[in-house]
Amino acid sequence: MKLFAQTQLLEDVQGKGLCVGCGACVDLCPYFTTYRGKTAMLFPCDRETGRCFAYCPKAEVDYDEVYKARTGRAFDGTPIGPHLETYKAKAGEKTAECTFQCGGTVTALISCALDNKMISGAVLTDSEGRMPKPRLVRTSEQARDCAGSKYSASPTLSVVNQEAKRGVRNMGVVATPCQALAISQMKMNPTDKPDFEDPVSLVIGLFCTWALDARKLEALLAEKGIEGKIIKADVPPPPAEVFVVETDQGTVEIPLAEVREIIPEGCSICPDMTSELADVSVGQVEGDAGFNTLIIRTQKGAELVKTAISQGYLVTETLDGDKVHNLATASANKKKRALAKAKEMGLLNTPDEEGRAAMRVSEGALNKIQP
Amino acid sequence: MGTATLTKDPYNLIITGVGGQGNVLASRVLGNLLSDKGFSITIGETFGASQRGGSVMSHMRISAGESWSPQIPKGQADMVVALEPIEALRVLHTYGHPGVKVISNTRSIYPVGVISGDSKYPSMDELQKTIEGLTEQAWFINATDAAMELGNPIFGNIMMVGALAKTGVLPIDRDGFEKVMLRTMGEKKTPVNLKAFDMGAEMIN
Amino acid sequence: MSQLYEGKKGEKVLFMGNQAIARGALEAGVSVAAGYPGTPSSEIIENLADVSKDANMYVEWSTNEKIAVEVAAAASFAGLRSICVMKQNGVNVASDFLLHLVLSGTRGGMVLIPCDDPGALSSINEGEARQFARLLEIPLVEAGDFQEAKDMLKWAFELSEEIQNLVMFRSVTRLSHASGSVELGEIPQTEPKAQFNYKGFILDPVEGPVVSVPVEYRHGLQQEKLKKAEALFEESPFNTYAGPENPEVLVITSSGATLYSREAIHLCNAKDKVGLLKLGTTFPLPTKLIAKHLKTTDKILVVEEVLPFMEENLKVLAQELAPEVGQKTFYGKRSGNIPQTGELNPDLVAAALAGILGQTYAPQDQEYQTKAAQQAFFNAPVRDLTFCPGCPHRASFWSIHNVLAADNRDGFVCGDIGCYSMAFLPCGFSSLKTLHAMGSGTGVASGFGKLGQFGLDQPVVSVCGDSTFFHSGMPALVNAIHHKSDITMVILDNSGTGMTGFQSHPGLPVDAQGNESPALDIPTICRALGATVEVCDPFYPHKTQQTFHKLLEMPGVKVLIMRQICALSPEKKGKKQYEMSVDETICMGENCGCNKLCTRVFRCPGLRWDEEKKTATIDEVICAGCGMCAAICPSGAITRKEVA
Ligand SMILES: Cc1cc2nc3c(=O)[nH]c(=O)nc-3n(C[C@H](O)[C@H](O)[C@H](O)COP(=O)(O)OP(=O)(O)OC[C@H]3O[C@@H](n4cnc5c(N)ncnc54)[C@H](O)[C@@H]3O)c2cc1C
Ligand SMILES: Cc1ncc(C[n+]2csc(CCOP(=O)(O)OP(=O)(O)O)c2C)c(N)n1
Ligand code: SF4
Ligand code: SF4
Ligand code: SF4
Ligand code: SF4
């Protein structure tokens, strides 16, 4: 891993507008913070190597190295990444009802992990007003408070850093793909300090095509005159082409074309749709709003799912082949678009003499993805 | 005027230090003491913004006759009393000459630039050598640490006055000092200041 | 104990210029003295306030300089002698009233004492009060040494009463803040009675109402008064000449430059060929006296600080007098011999004089100079200005900086005047982005806060000290509220006028003379004006930042009062609240996760970086024990223990 620090992070990520506000660089030290969905530098730091740069999913990510460290396999460009099994799933009766985004699989798995003390706590994303608000939860009841997707990019990992600093270990995290990537880089402990050992033991990844700029989304909702408390936001599968916002005062649809305007630039170079570096990944199921697509990727993930099923937290069914096929196509398309964009920006496999890259991908993977 | 005479007229004394070290008080005490002896004194001082962590300097002109400008001409200091060692060097740069003498405190006060790591503070050895190389005679005393024994680093300024008296370059005596202290500080504060004066004098040999 | 009041006639004492001026006021029998603090003027009022009860005086720190002049004028209208004292900037503030006062005229002697700061040693401008004497058409007198500082003030009162108008007595830093020998005079033991007469005819200068109309009539009268002053100046003992009868070069000087000029002649060894005409009365110039001296020589060097005020007035006179005295060559500012900016010193004057005499002036041994310069460069690191150890402003700007940076909308701070002006430097995390006159921070912010109409979407913040708030911050706040400007005003309330030496102000329960007085409560005032108000303690940065963030999100005018007493205040000075220490085993030092936040960024002078151990340490000689560094250390390495 090429190690740099704040100066380069500011230049490569903030400076190029690629920050997605994931929170990986936040609260490691006094120099980065997050406020109302935006990551900010407070004071310059003159270190030559540091975790902020090392963890950032948009700066010098060597995909082979990260994938090998996390999954034991190089990054080969397979559409939905390394995995063991795929299912259709939803919360079982042991998981109390609440407003799940889809089938409640995520909340079910987190509840199971917490109740069985497989993790010490879980870093989830709640909301405060119209801003995403990450927090560490200790109980399944608290986990239910965090159910539902906040379509804003959230600085979830800042809470991982805060809690790690306090000495919390063995955390579970519900992460978007960029966050799962950042966590994988944390796990590699690139600066080799015992204090900075991996604080995360379980990653539940979310599918993600894009997130939205939190401040801009807030402004857009205000502009659309949307008032009241948001109960749920959703992007129904094609061909709907709308962003649906349900509040306690009614439901409003905003054309996706308008919403796409407020996607952070950084999302456009993200090649991962299914959180390939998570233990399990969860997303929607096309045309089946009460269920989730569930991808089991690691042994740990498989054990969690097994426990959840056996204890009644989760129920699974088989996922139709055409659904898997469509998912793979969508994933492959995201990879293709992202790599093409990175290449266009000069950020893909940038030769040393020309500067730093956002991502480094092997020849083989490139051949497969065909950006 | 009494029997006291000056080795040079005007005798140019600079007291330098950092804001908050009691520079002004030291120059006032000396000024009053020498004024009591009938000398004509002019003191030039900088206050205000320069006190906030900056360098401060008092110029004292001591003369049997007329009053001189509150700023000493370049290269014409006869004695520099420095409450902080790099301030001695800074003064020598502008007001020094091969015949100048220096009494310097050895306790450093770091400029913010040094604290922040933007600049470096020299080692005390290096600093002493440098000052010695720019003076006819130099004395180094740790007035601040001695003052801490008296319970407050602020007494460092009076120790420097005592040290200056002991060098004999100016007609400064303990009685005169006591008189000024009683007049300006009152009876309560005089004994500890006399103690500081004596401790300062003892450090010169 | 105080020689200022107790000192007997004939006694010789060492006085600071401002003490000499204060003694002059006592010897002149001044009854009322009013002023607003400002370096280098403050000690005049301070010294008078100390003896005011013994001397049967009324002394006040007024809310601002305009009010100070008004208060002093009232005394004059009632037949008493009064002075008003201020830093040069204060004259700008007071100028509107002054321009009317000089038309209406005065009754009891009244002297305006502005102290200028050539070289801006303690200022952020180099403005001059002398120019106001011309604008106001009033006599200007300037002392050339400490004795004169006392004696001329007394004389200025006689002059004021003679012409029944205000007289300006100007001082400069190097006089006000320098000390020299002064022989004392008598302090009169009188009991003046105040009575304001207004029943006479409107044009009656002693019995009528005091007004500036009819303007043309009064303006004419005022100019006659000035003529009368000029006539008196011809005989003034404060214009002196020393030197040969027909000097090769005549140096004309005044004020602080007098001592430099005298020394410069000495440095050039030119006593026998250079004459020194020192003027105590610099506006209007005494024509006959000038004519007499112009006749004696062809070369004239005018030595004065900053702008060529005397030089230009002299040139006008010389032109008028040319038929009588002949054509002269002037050296000074316009010829480039004397700089037009910065303060003078003996060397600068000596160099100018030597140049005119065809000599060279080499003040320092070249070899020594080169060596010393080199050594100083390498071994005497620059001492930048910074907030004191334990200063609440450092803590306040820490939060202000962090909040605006986190907020991430390019918010900015409009600065104001006080110790906190230094926040444009790294010690205040370079927070201030505009910095002008007292009260201007909030005024400028009020304007910025209305630019939303044109797309300005940056948060606008102003800072204002507690003394500045009363001085001129309040009208700016009123303006912002009335116009629904979107600003957050941070009032840095350190319980006193910090920069100038902790003078009282209307927010404090005590006045200049030490009397108990009603303290005006800043939060109550701001609330009554209609602002949303919060109060916090900057030594609790977390809470402070939360509150500040909250206010920043709100529209309209918000006031955040950051309240914590100045580290140099009499209550706090020298007393540590906490004993501080750094746990070396916990300190992260240069490692990722801290990288010397306390020394590299926070920069309190009480901290040090131990290059060998690679940890931070506390410099117990300097540390004021405020505890703030413990609150910011990311690892909890800095600990504080309450001092019993
Ligand atoms: C920004 C975003 C984009 C998405 N895009 C797609 C997509 O294109 N296709 C698709 O199939 N699925 C997408 N999803 C996933 C989908 O919306 C559901 O989150 C997922 O199906 C799990 O549903 P569930 O019922 O199990 O969730 P729940 O049981 O309701 O739990 C939701 C969990 O998501 C976490 N969460 C909420 N918002 C965020 C956030 N902004 N960042 C990190 N964690 C968060 C919460 O902490 C909670 O634990 C996206 C999710 C997000 C947050
Ligand atoms: C018109 C004017 N008058 C006086 C001054 C001198 N002056 C500079 S700073 C200051 C004190 C301001 O006090 P405060 O606002 O309480 O701030 P602090 O110094 O205590 O931080 C004064 C009076 C000035 N610069 N301008
Ligand atoms: S993308 Fe994440 S890690 Fe990178 S700069 Fe933004 S918040 Fe920090
Ligand atoms: S301390 Fe470490 S994480 Fe923080 S800015 Fe510096 S290098 Fe980055
Ligand atoms: S802020 Fe704390 S951890 Fe960092 S260098 Fe200072 S004492 Fe050490
Ligand atoms: S406690 Fe810390 S911040 Fe306060 S004066 Fe001491 S070193 Fe400075």
Side-chain angles (χ1 to χ4, degrees):
Chain A
M1 189 181 288
K2 284 204 170 80
L3 281 182
F4 293 96
Q6 191 202 55
T7 319
Q8 294 75 21
L9 183 65
L10 290 174
E11 200 179 306
D12 296 358
V13 184
Q14 303 273 0
K16 296 196 168 113
L18 294 176
C19 175
V20 290
C22 70
C25 64
V26 170
D27 289 329
L28 292 165
C29 70
Y31 306 120
F32 282 106
T33 191
T34 175
Y35 179 70
R36 291 179 33 81
K38 255 185 139 164
T39 298
M41 185 271 276
L42 296 180
F43 289 103
C45 166
D46 59 0
R47 282 188 50 84
E48 280 167 10
T49 61
R51 290 170 295 161
C52 51
F53 189 94
Y55 295 173
C56 177
K58 304 293 170 189
E60 277 293 354
V61 181
D62 184 332
Y63 273 76
D64 264 351
E65 199 184 346
V66 180
Y67 271 64
K68 274 186 197 150
R70 177 76 172 115
T71 70
R73 282 171 45 190
F75 176 72
D76 60 7
T78 323
I80 61 166
H83 64 276
L84 305 173
E85 291 157 282
T86 54
Y87 290 104
K88 208 167 112 170
K90 65 174 186 181
E93 67 219 17
K94 183 81 185 284
T95 310
E97 259 310 312
C98 70
T99 316
F100 300 128
Q101 186 64 25
C102 314
T105 303
V106 170
T107 305
L109 290 173
I110 287 292
S111 302
C112 172
L114 284 169
D115 292 349
N116 287 286
K117 308 229 177 320
M118 298 161 84
I119 51 177
S120 65
V123 177
L124 304 182
T125 303
D126 201 346
S127 47
E128 188 174 65
R130 289 179 178 183
M131 284 293 152
K133 168 83 183 165
R135 54 188 273 225
L136 178 78
V137 306
R138 301 279 191 181
T139 65
S140 49
E141 194 188 342
Q142 290 167 340
R144 287 197 297 279
D145 292 342
C146 300
S149 297
K150 289 81 195 173
Y151 276 87
S152 308
S154 160
T156 306
L157 300 186
S158 63
V159 171
V160 173
N161 292 334
Q162 278 167 24
E163 297 299 335
K165 212 155 53 177
R166 275 188 213 130
V168 180
R169 294 288 179 272
N170 195 23
M171 283 183 266
V173 183
V174 175
T176 53
C178 55
Q179 290 165 345
L181 171 58
I183 293 170
S184 303
Q185 301 195 93
M186 284 180 195
K187 285 175 173 296
M188 291 163 72
N189 196 359
T191 53
D192 258 345
K193 283 264 175 211
D195 289 358
F196 305 153
E197 241 168 18
D198 176 18
V200 176
S201 58
L202 175 71
V203 180
I204 298 185
L206 301 175
F207 291 8
C208 178
T209 314
W210 40 251
L212 299 173
D213 180 294
R215 290 188 187 185
K216 288 182 182 160
L217 177 60
E218 186 187 49
L220 180 68
L221 298 180
E223 188 189 309
K224 295 281 169 194
I226 298 173
E227 282 168 16
K229 187 175 152 45
I230 294 178
I231 295 166
K232 194 167 173 176
D234 201 6
V235 186
E241 276 298 307
V242 286
F243 181 61
V244 184
V245 183
E246 186 190 333
T247 72
D248 52 7
Q249 303 184 4
T251 301
V252 184
E253 293 187 353
I254 305 174
L256 269 192
E258 281 180 53
V259 171
R260 285 204 181 93
E261 295 289 311
I262 60 170
I263 301 170
E265 184 84 1
C267 289
S268 68
I269 61 161
C270 173
D272 183 1
M273 201 188 101
T274 57
S275 282
E276 297 174 14
L277 296 167
D279 291 298
V280 300
S281 303
V282 186
Q284 304 173 344
V285 185
E286 235 181 87
D288 205 344
F291 274 94
N292 291 106
T293 304
L294 171 63
I295 305 176
I296 299 172
R297 298 187 183 276
T298 64
Q299 215 45 59
K300 181 169 234 161
E303 274 157 33
L304 171 64
V305 170
K306 205 171 119 197
T307 315
I309 295 169
S310 69
Q311 295 182 359
Y313 286 96
L314 192 71
V315 290
T316 52
E317 295 174 20
T318 45
L319 187 64
D320 293 350
D322 60 330
K323 296 258 157 68
V324 179
H325 177 79
N326 288 352
L327 181 63
T329 310
S331 298
N333 283 338
K334 186 172 178 191
K335 283 198 166 58
K336 213 182 180 74
R337 282 197 307 271
L339 266 58
K341 178 77 184 180
K343 199 165 153 190
E344 179 195 316
M345 293 179 79
L347 297 175
L348 178 64
N349 295 343
T350 317
D352 281 348
E353 60 282 7
E354 283 171 35
R356 292 175 296 271
M359 50 172 91
R360 296 195 183 274
V361 171
S362 68
E363 206 50 42
L366 277 181
N367 284 338
K368 179 150 192 174
I369 296 165
Q370 293 282 328
Chain B
M1 193 192 308
T3 51
T5 50
L6 295 171
T7 50
K8 188 176 155 284
D9 198 331
Y11 192 90
N12 296 328
L13 171 71
I14 295 181
I15 304 178
T16 184
V18 180
Q21 280 194 299
N23 214 72
V24 172
L25 182 82
S27 74
R28 290 282 162 78
V29 168
L30 279 171
N32 274 303
L33 193 158
L34 291 162
S35 171
D36 286 354
K37 296 205 176 301
F39 292 110
S40 160
I41 307 292
T42 310
I43 310 173
E45 266 152 356
T46 42
F47 290 51
S50 49
Q51 276 193 297
R52 269 78 192 165
S55 311
V56 285
M57 220 189 341
S58 303
H59 286 195
M60 191 179 301
R61 319 293 301 273
I62 305 149
S63 171
E66 41 186 326
S67 55
W68 294 82
S69 135
Q71 292 196 69
I72 294 172
K74 306 242 158 7
Q76 294 210 12
D78 297 307
M79 167 64 95
V80 176
V81 175
L83 296 167
E84 206 283 349
I86 59 167
E87 295 312 314
L89 187 51
R90 213 188 301 284
V91 165
L92 289 176
H93 164 39
T94 313
Y95 299 98
H97 59 93
V100 69
K101 296 181 165 76
V102 164
I103 307 176
S104 177
N105 189 1
T106 53
R107 176 57 150 87
S108 57
I109 294 179
Y110 283 0
V112 268
V114 171
I115 292 170
S116 67
D118 298 336
S119 48
K120 273 215 145 22
Y121 199 95
S123 76
M124 207 47 69
D125 271 359
E126 202 176 338
L127 201 47
Q128 292 199 8
K129 275 202 203 89
T130 306
I131 292 172
E132 276 160 0
L134 291 168
T135 50
E136 187 189 278
Q137 198 173 1
W139 295 267
F140 297 94
I141 66 176
N142 192 339
T144 305
D145 281 2
M148 294 285 269
E149 285 171 32
L150 281 185
N152 195 332
I154 194 71
F155 294 118
N157 60 354
I158 297 298
M159 298 208 173
M160 298 303 287
V161 171
L164 175 66
K166 181 70 187 303
T167 63
V169 299
L170 280 167
I172 306 166
D173 59 335
R174 194 176 188 276
D175 290 348
F177 174 78
E178 184 171 11
K179 218 173 87 191
V180 172
M181 276 295 134
L182 284 170
R183 189 169 73 226
T184 56
M185 297 249 163
E187 256 172 59
K188 240 182 92 188
K189 289 188 185 162
T190 299
V192 58
N193 281 292
L194 269 174
K195 176 95 185 97
F197 182 93
D198 292 341
M199 284 170 76
E202 274 161 31
M203 284 189 269
I204 296 290
N205 37 46
Chain C
M1 216 181 80
S2 145
Q3 279 175 310
L4 186 70
Y5 185 67
E6 312 267 297
K8 299 272 174 310
K9 185 180 158 136
E11 231 173 275
K12 260 199 156 165
V13 296
L14 182 67
F15 265 173
M16 181 168 57
N18 280 344
Q19 284 174 307
I21 293 171
R23 174 73 186 201
L26 291 169
E27 290 181 12
V30 165
S31 298
V32 171
Y36 182 76
T39 315
S41 73
S42 310
E43 296 81 6
I44 299 171
I45 293 288
E46 276 169 356
N47 274 287
L48 288 174
D50 285 349
V51 301
S52 58
K53 286 182 181 153
D54 294 330
N56 185 30
M57 282 184 78
Y58 173 70
V59 182
E60 76 168 37
W61 282 125
S62 306
T63 302
N64 66 32
E65 291 89 348
K66 178 167 172 280
I67 297 169
V69 182
E70 288 156 353
V71 165
S76 165
F77 299 159
L80 303 176
R81 285 189 167 184
S82 68
I83 55 168
C84 45
V85 185
M86 58 205 58
K87 175 188 184 69
Q88 182 281 324
N89 314 35
V91 184
N92 307 338
V93 174
S95 60
D96 191 28
F97 176 71
L98 284 169
L99 202 60
H100 294 88
L101 175 67
V102 294
L103 276 181
S104 78
T106 56
R107 289 182 184 172
M110 177 169 174
V111 179
L112 168 68
I113 308 182
C115 299
D116 288 8
D117 190 17
L121 302 173
S122 310
S123 310
I124 59 163
N125 74 64
E126 226 180 354
E128 283 200 60
R130 293 190 299 176
Q131 310 289 349
F132 273 99
R134 186 151 60 182
L135 179 77
L136 296 168
E137 298 171 78
I138 54 169
L140 167 65
V141 300
E142 301 183 69
D145 63 23
F146 310 96
Q147 186 68 43
E148 284 191 353
K150 178 180 79 66
D151 297 344
M152 277 183 87
L153 181 57
K154 195 170 163 204
W155 180 70
F157 275 100
E158 286 155 22
L159 178 64
S160 167
E161 279 165 7
E162 183 81 33
I163 65 167
Q164 296 208 320
N165 212 354
L166 182 70
V167 172
M168 181 186 289
F169 172 103
R170 171 194 182 246
S171 180
V172 293
T173 304
R174 294 292 182 185
L175 269 183
S176 279
H177 276 179
S179 305
S181 301
V182 177
E183 186 179 329
L184 304 182
E186 189 82 42
I187 296 180
Q189 297 300 324
T190 51
E191 282 187 17
K193 163 93 178 69
Q195 164 77 26
F196 179 41
N197 301 327
Y198 54 80
K199 292 182 184 152
F201 178 54
I202 183 158
L203 297 184
D204 186 324
V206 185
E207 300 291 331
V210 193
V211 292
S212 68
V213 287
V215 173
E216 209 174 333
Y217 166 76
R218 294 211 185 254
H219 197 180
L221 199 64
Q222 188 195 348
Q223 288 173 355
E224 274 170 37
K225 291 175 178 180
L226 200 59
K227 282 240 162 57
K228 197 162 161 190
E230 190 196 322
L232 291 165
F233 284 180
E234 297 285 4
E235 305 302 324
S236 164
F238 299 106
N239 299 325
T240 56
Y241 177 77
E245 212 165 297
N246 285 297
E248 192 180 322
V249 177
L250 173 67
V251 175
I252 304 185
T253 190
S254 69
S255 187
T258 308
L259 293 166
Y260 306 146
S261 300
R262 205 180 286 156
E263 183 135 12
I265 295 170
H266 173 84
L267 289 169
C268 291
N269 239 325
K271 263 204 171 102
D272 47 351
K273 37 185 175 174
V274 176
L276 181 66
L277 175 62
K278 177 248 141 185
L279 293 177
T281 67
T282 41
F283 184 83
L285 288 171
T287 312
K288 287 188 203 121
L289 180 80
I290 300 295
K292 184 180 113 192
H293 284 283
L294 291 186
K295 276 184 203 155
T296 64
T297 183
D298 286 333
K299 291 181 180 172
I300 294 137
L301 170 63
V302 187
V303 181
E304 61 189 317
E305 294 186 292
V306 197
L307 295 180
F309 177 79
M310 249 195 334
E311 180 177 331
E312 285 171 0
N313 292 340
L314 277 166
K315 282 177 174 169
V316 171
L317 259 191
Q319 184 57 34
E320 289 171 11
L321 293 168
E324 183 190 338
V325 303
Q327 196 63 41
K328 304 293 163 188
T329 307
F330 279 90
Y331 300 90
K333 310 271 178 190
R334 298 190 51 103
S335 63
N337 296 69
I338 301 278
Q340 295 219 28
T341 56
E343 64 166 346
L344 293 181
N345 58 42
D347 299 290
L348 285 169
V349 182
L353 187 58
I356 299 164
L357 292 170
Q359 307 175 351
T360 46
Y361 171 65
Q364 242 177 327
D365 181 84
Q366 202 48 55
E367 200 187 318
Y368 182 93
Q369 156 71 24
T370 314
K371 189 169 135 197
Q374 236 171 31
Q375 306 278 27
F377 180 81
F378 289 112
N379 284 329
V382 186
R383 226 175 253 291
D384 286 323
L385 293 185
T386 182
F387 292 127
C388 302
C391 176
H393 291 329
R394 180 181 292 102
S396 294
F397 283 102
W398 177 261
S399 285
I400 291 172
H401 169 92
N402 280 342
V403 166
L404 287 178
D407 181 81
N408 214 343
R409 287 181 286 161
D410 290 335
F412 56 91
V413 184
C414 300
D416 219 305
I417 306 301
C419 282
Y420 57 96
S421 297
M422 288 194 294
F424 81 90
L425 298 169
C427 68
F429 318 109
S430 309
S431 301
L432 306 186
K433 303 303 179 197
T434 72
L435 182 56
H436 301 86
M438 286 190 78
S440 299
T442 305
V444 170
S446 171
F448 272 123
K450 289 307 293 178
L451 300 183
Q453 186 182 346
F454 307 102
L456 187 106
D457 54 6
Q458 300 157 270
V460 179
V461 176
S462 72
V463 286
C464 180
D466 45 338
S467 190
T468 302
F469 176 77
F470 291 107
H471 178 282
S472 46
M474 270 174 69
L477 175 61
V478 166
N479 192 70
I481 292 170
H482 179 66
H483 294 101
K484 298 192 198 158
S485 187
D486 288 314
I487 67 165
T488 308
M489 179 188 196
V490 177
I491 298 178
L492 301 164
D493 183 355
N494 58 3
S495 293
T497 316
M499 179 98 254
T500 48
F502 241 73
Q503 297 82 2
S504 66
H505 63 59
L508 300 174
V510 60
D511 68 10
Q513 292 180 275
N515 300 315
E516 213 179 281
S517 45
L520 280 68
D521 185 53
I522 297 177
T524 309
I525 293 171
C526 297
R527 275 189 199 107
L529 292 175
T532 305
V533 180
E534 296 276 1
V535 183
C536 62
D537 179 346
F539 284 167
Y540 292 86
H542 185 70
K543 185 84 208 311
T544 299
Q545 290 176 26
Q546 266 183 347
T547 311
F548 190 24
H549 266 308
K550 186 185 83 185
L551 291 181
L552 222 47
E553 294 293 333
M554 293 165 53
V557 178
K558 294 87 57 179
V559 173
L560 178 57
I561 296 160
M562 297 197 184
R563 185 179 277 166
Q564 178 59 244
I565 299 176
C566 169
L568 295 186
S569 80
E571 283 138 276
K572 260 196 192 175
K573 201 177 174 178
K575 286 171 224 143
K576 293 189 182 188
Q577 190 185 353
Y578 298 106
E579 204 58 63
M580 306 300 296
S581 58
V582 177
D583 186 333
E584 290 167 13
T585 61
I586 300 177
C587 172
M588 296 175 84
E590 293 170 324
N591 286 329
C592 180
C594 180
N595 194 13
K596 308 196 279 184
L597 180 75
C598 56
T599 57
R600 192 179 62 86
V601 182
F602 187 65
R603 299 175 171 210
C604 174
L607 296 156
R608 283 189 174 208
W609 174 250
D610 188 325
E611 196 52 62
E612 266 141 48
K613 290 189 194 144
K614 300 275 177 208
T615 62
T617 58
I618 301 284
D619 182 338
E620 77 275 19
V621 171
I622 309 288
C623 168
C626 72
M628 179 64 190
C629 53
I632 63 145
C633 170
S635 67
I638 308 182
T639 51
R640 51 192 205 186
K641 208 174 81 205
E642 192 102 27
V643 175

